[in-house]
Amino acid sequence: MEHEIICLGCPNGCHLLCTSKPGGAVDVTGNTCDRGADYGREELLEPKRTVTAVVRTDSPRVPWISVKTTRPLAKPLIPELLEELYRATAALPARRGDRFIENFRNTGVDVVFTRTASLEEAT
Amino acid sequence: MIVEAFVGNVPENAGFGAPPGGTNTPAKVISHMRDLEYDAVVIGAGAAGMAAALRVHAAGFRVAIVDREDHLGGILLQCIHNGFGLHWFKEELTGPEFAERLAAQVREAGIDVYLNTTVMDLVADNGMKSLIACSAEHGVLSFAARAIVLAMGCRERNRGNIGIPGSRPAGVFTAGLAQRLINIDGYAPGKRVVIIGSGDIGLIMARRLSWVGAKVLAVIEILPHPSGLTRNIVQCLHDFDIPLYLSHIVSRIAGQDRVEAVEVTPLENGTPNPAKTFRLECDTVLLSVGLIPENELSKKAGVQLGHDTGGPRVDAHLMTSVDGVFACGNVLHVHDLVDFVADESSRCGGNVAAYLGAGLSAGGQGRVQAGPNVKYVVPHAYVPGQDTQFSLRAMIVKKRGTLQVKRAGVVIKRKTLQHIKPAEMIYFKMKGTELGPAGPDPAPIEISVE
C-alpha cells in the first residue's frame, strides 16, 4: 500500500511516497537525503515526535521552565509523558541541558531543560 | 486529564509579566539623569539585537544593548518548540536554547546590557544620536552614540486590524499572547478553541493547546492556501485531526461575557456566501493574522518607512534614511526563521562597524525594486560590485518556479526555485560581479518570480 507523507526531518518538507512490502520492509521515494528515507520508514511503522512543554518549578521567580525530549518519542506515549510532566515540579536552579526525566518508559528518550533558571537573577 | 494536570496550582505570583526581583522594589526618586556614551547603541535584546551587537563589539567598538524586558532573547523565550538553529548553530534547537546560546556570547564578550529599560525617545540629527531611556534600577539614562541599531522586532496584528464583526467578549487572544500565557505564565487560555489565520504561530499554538488538553476545533484561513509552513500543517494540524478551512472567514464572534461561538462563512469567488455559514461553539478565539514591525521609535527618529515591508526603508548597508541609524531583524521585515534574523543582523552589525571605522563604501547605490509577484525585496538598494544578500517575499504559490533579476531591462540572473510560496521567505545572494561594475549612477534592478 502506498502512503504520501510530508517529511518533517527539516523545513524543506519533501513529499515522500512510502510503500510497505510484505515482511515489514518499506520503500521510500521522493526523499532528497538519507534522513528522509529513515523518516518515511519510521513514520509508516512507528511515528514519533519531539515533545516540548513547560514544567512547574518550586520558585516563584521562574514559575515554569521549558523542557524537550532529547529524541522523538513514539506518538502513543506522548499523552503519558505530558501528564507526567504537568504533575511534576522541577527544583531550581536548573541549567539548560540538565536531565529532568531519564529513559522515559524504557524508550531511551530523556527529557531535558531547554533554559537556565537561576535563583539570583533572571536569565 | 492533561488539562487539569496543566492548569492546577498556578503559583499566585505567576501573573502576566511576572517581573524579576528588581522591578518589585519601590521606584527610587530620580534626581538626575545619567549620561552614557557608546560608539553604538542597539535597541532590542532579541536575536537581532544580540547578533548585531556581537558583531559591532567584535570589531572593537563600544556597544550597549537596551531592552524593556527582563531577559536577553526577546520573544524566543516563549517559543519553546524546536526547529530553530539549523542554519546559524548547525544544530536543531528550541527557542530558549537559541536565545541562551546568543546570550552567553553577549555576556562572554562583556557587552553592556540594560534590561528592564524602556527607550522613551530617539533623536537622530547628523553626527551624535541621543537616546533617552528609563528603568526602575537605573533611573533616567541619556545615551549618546554615533550609531543606532533598530532591533525592536514586531508586534501582532489583532482583532481591530482585521475588523471581525460581533460582540466584544473576553476570550479573544492573539496567538503570541496565548503562547506567552501558556509557556511563561502557565495558564491555559481556554478549552474549546478556534484559530483564525494559518500563520506559523497559530499552527504551533494549535499543537501546544492540544498538548495542554484543550480542543482545537478548526483553523480558519481567508486565503486559498495555508500561510504557514507545510511541515507545521502536518505536525500541528494533521497529527491532531484539526480541520483547516481555506477560503473561509469568521463572520461573527458571539458571546456576552465570554466567547460562546464563532460563525464561519465560506468565500466563493472571493465573496462570502452567507447561506453556507456554520457555527462553532467555543470559548476562545486565537488570532494568527500576521505581524507588523514595531515602528514607534523609528518614527520618532524620523526614519522613512516603506509600504511594502511596513518597516524602515534601508539602503545596501541596511542603513535607514537617517544617517547612522540602522535596522535589522523583524523590525525591518518579518522573517519566518530566527536563523535568517541572526544572519541579517550580524551583517548589519558588520556595516555598523564599517560606518564607525573606515567608513561604508562610498560608491553610488542603485534602487532595488519588487517586480511581478513579489511583495517586497530587502534591502531597497544595492552597490554594484558588492556581494549582496537579498530577502524577498513572494505573492504566489508555485512548484519549480523561476526567480529573475533584471538590470535596465536585461536579465542578469535566473534561478530555479523548488517551492515558491508566500509563507517561505526567499533568501538569496548575488555576487558583486553579477550586479555589474561600480559606477556613479547605477541602474535600478528589478526582482521577480514566476
Side-chain angles (χ1 to χ4, degrees):
Chain A
M1 190 165 158
E2 270 188 4
H3 299 265
E4 201 186 331
I5 290 172
I6 307 279
C7 182
L8 300 182
C10 81
N12 277 345
C14 293
H15 292 246
L16 310 177
L17 212 56
C18 304
T19 317
S20 47
K21 300 267 157 129
V26 177
D27 267 2
V28 180
T29 57
N31 55 306
T32 51
C33 76
D34 292 345
R35 282 174 64 194
D38 292 343
Y39 178 84
R41 200 165 295 121
E42 194 169 85
E43 187 66 8
L44 215 58
L45 301 176
E46 192 192 17
K48 294 175 177 171
R49 295 289 183 264
T50 296
V51 178
T52 59
V54 291
V55 175
R56 187 182 284 111
T57 77
D58 60 1
S59 165
R61 180 176 290 280
V62 182
W64 296 81
I65 186 166
S66 51
V67 296
K68 70 171 181 183
T69 56
T70 48
R71 286 193 286 141
L73 179 70
K75 271 174 148 184
L77 288 175
I78 291 176
E80 278 177 56
L81 174 68
L82 289 170
E83 281 212 36
E84 184 162 330
L85 289 174
Y86 296 152
R87 294 197 190 282
T89 302
L92 298 193
R95 274 176 321 181
R96 168 170 51 98
D98 281 355
R99 202 152 45 196
F100 182 59
I101 293 177
E102 189 174 351
N103 192 15
F104 179 73
R105 300 279 190 277
N106 283 317
T107 53
V109 175
D110 296 339
V111 174
V112 297
F113 297 116
T114 56
R115 63 171 284 194
T116 301
S118 66
L119 292 171
E120 293 79 40
E121 74 179 91
T123 51
Chain B
M1 277 294 289
I2 292 173
V3 66
E4 279 140 28
F6 182 74
V7 298
N9 298 324
V10 176
E12 275 177 30
N13 45 3
F16 185 80
T23 48
N24 279 334
T25 52
K28 293 169 217 152
V29 176
I30 309 301
S31 57
H32 66 285
M33 196 188 276
R34 258 174 76 198
D35 289 313
L36 299 157
E37 203 174 316
Y38 288 93
D39 295 315
V41 174
V42 177
I43 307 172
M50 290 196 284
L54 280 165
R55 188 76 177 270
V56 177
H57 173 86
F61 295 99
R62 291 197 65 225
V63 57
I65 306 177
V66 185
D67 195 289
R68 64 185 172 196
E69 292 289 327
D70 63 10
H71 59 267
L72 290 166
I75 205 72
L76 282 170
L77 218 62
Q78 70 180 52
C79 304
I80 64 164
H81 54 282
N82 59 329
F84 305 95
L86 283 167
H87 298 276
W88 191 248
F89 288 114
K90 310 288 175 218
E91 191 180 326
E92 188 171 30
L93 300 170
T94 62
E97 291 171 310
F98 192 105
E100 243 178 58
R101 291 263 189 113
L102 273 182
Q105 293 173 10
V106 167
R107 293 225 176 76
E108 207 168 294
I111 293 171
D112 287 351
V113 177
Y114 298 84
L115 295 177
N116 297 306
T117 304
T118 305
V119 176
M120 314 294 293
D121 204 3
L122 173 59
V123 180
D125 300 324
N126 279 344
M128 249 4 195
K129 281 89 199 157
S130 80
L131 187 149
I132 307 294
C134 67
S135 76
E137 189 190 341
H138 304 292
V140 180
L141 301 173
S142 168
F143 292 88
R146 285 166 58 211
I148 299 286
V149 179
L150 306 173
M152 295 89 76
C154 56
R155 55 169 74 161
E156 295 182 276
R157 297 204 326 140
N158 57 35
R159 184 175 175 182
N161 294 111
I162 60 169
I164 307 167
S167 54
R168 299 183 62 89
V172 182
F173 302 87
T174 57
L177 172 58
Q179 186 180 49
R180 189 210 151 94
L181 288 172
I182 295 183
N183 293 341
I184 305 289
D185 304 316
Y187 297 111
K191 289 184 177 163
R192 290 174 61 82
V193 186
V194 170
I195 298 176
I196 304 178
S198 61
D200 285 312
I201 312 172
L203 298 177
I204 294 288
M205 285 315 294
R207 175 177 63 184
R208 190 74 191 98
L209 283 158
S210 301
W211 275 351
V212 298
K215 172 79 181 162
V216 180
L217 300 166
V219 174
I220 314 295
E221 171 61 57
I222 189 170
L223 297 172
H225 53 80
S227 300
L229 303 173
T230 310
R231 67 190 313 249
N232 285 337
I233 301 288
V234 174
Q235 62 186 351
C236 300
L237 299 188
H238 295 180
D239 270 11
F240 302 93
D241 296 322
I242 299 168
L244 169 61
Y245 293 92
L246 297 172
S247 298
H248 279 65
I249 57 166
V250 167
S251 46
R252 195 164 89 92
I253 295 177
Q256 282 306 310
D257 298 328
R258 179 79 191 191
V259 174
E260 287 163 16
V262 295
E263 289 177 4
V264 181
T265 307
L267 295 179
E268 290 173 2
N269 303 318
T271 314
N273 181 354
K276 291 189 180 166
T277 294
F278 59 96
R279 188 177 163 96
L280 295 170
E281 310 282 334
C282 60
D283 57 30
T284 302
V285 175
L286 252 53
L287 294 161
S288 176
V289 292
L291 303 164
I292 36 182
E294 172 82 65
N295 289 326
E296 302 309 315
L297 285 169
S298 311
K299 284 182 193 162
K300 283 193 173 176
V303 163
Q304 192 194 342
L305 303 178
H307 295 293
D308 51 353
T309 58
R313 288 189 65 82
V314 289
D315 71 5
H317 311 296
L318 304 181
M319 186 160 81
T320 68
S321 60
V322 178
D323 184 72
V325 177
F326 296 76
C328 57
N330 282 350
V331 82
L332 177 57
H333 62 117
V334 176
H335 299 60
D336 4 282
L337 274 181
V338 68
D339 295 77
F340 294 150
V341 167
D343 185 53
E344 174 183 281
S345 304
S346 184
R347 260 183 300 115
C348 180
N351 295 337
V352 172
Y355 174 86
L356 293 167
L360 292 166
S361 62
Q365 297 192 16
R367 272 192 304 144
V368 176
Q369 293 166 331
N373 303 323
V374 173
K375 186 171 177 223
Y376 69 78
V377 186
V378 168
H380 300 98
Y382 76 104
V383 178
Q386 187 176 296
D387 291 1
T388 306
Q389 179 76 55
F390 293 101
S391 304
L392 68 92
R393 191 65 73 178
M395 294 195 286
I396 52 164
V397 178
K398 179 119 193 237
K399 261 189 186 176
R400 285 191 67 79
T402 309
L403 178 143
Q404 186 169 281
V405 185
K406 277 186 189 170
R407 187 178 198 243
V410 179
V411 175
I412 56 171
K413 188 179 177 90
R414 281 178 74 91
K415 193 180 170 187
T416 302
L417 300 173
Q418 285 309 315
H419 299 279
I420 296 177
K421 47 180 103 169
E424 295 177 21
M425 193 173 83
I426 299 168
Y427 202 62
F428 79 104
K429 194 170 190 168
M430 282 186 73
K431 291 214 163 63
T433 46
E434 292 176 303
L435 286 164
D441 193 14
I445 61 169
E446 184 193 80
I447 306 180
S448 60
V449 292
E450 58 178 13

